[in-house]
Amino acid sequence: MNLQNSIDIIGKKADIANKKLIAFLAIAGGTWLYGITPDKSSLLTLLSSIAFFIAVIGVSTNIIKLSELQHKLKGLNDG
């Protein structure tokens, strides 16, 4: 596989990870308020807290994936 194809594949993977990251950030941004506000419904607070922590895991995972893709691109540039 030539260099241009490798760069294109890494770019597509980075686009996918970036879109997932944006989605998880939106979920985390929307649910954290419900988790910290004292509400009459503890079920809503519990569910929003669970959704927030799942979104945080998704954000962390996608940041790690983007970092790995950055290192691959740097390796292709150096090689």
Side-chain angles (χ1 to χ4, degrees):
M1 193 171 4
N2 63 10
L3 182 63
Q4 187 61 37
N5 285 341
S6 298
I7 291 172
D8 288 340
I9 290 171
I10 292 172
K12 295 294 181 186
K13 287 181 180 180
D15 287 341
I16 291 169
N18 194 18
K19 289 177 184 175
K20 286 182 183 179
L21 180 65
I22 291 170
F24 281 122
L25 283 171
I27 292 168
T31 58
W32 75 275
L33 283 174
Y34 289 107
I36 63 169
T37 55
D39 195 8
K40 297 176 182 91
S41 172
S42 62
L43 179 62
L44 179 63
T45 303
L46 177 67
L47 292 176
S48 64
S49 297
I50 291 170
F52 175 74
F53 287 118
I54 291 171
V56 167
I57 291 170
V59 167
S60 302
T61 303
N62 282 303
I63 288 174
I64 290 169
K65 285 180 185 177
L66 285 172
S67 176
E68 290 171 358
L69 291 172
Q70 181 183 9
H71 287 294
K72 284 183 183 179
L73 277 175
K74 187 176 180 182
L76 287 175
N77 189 26
D78 294 340

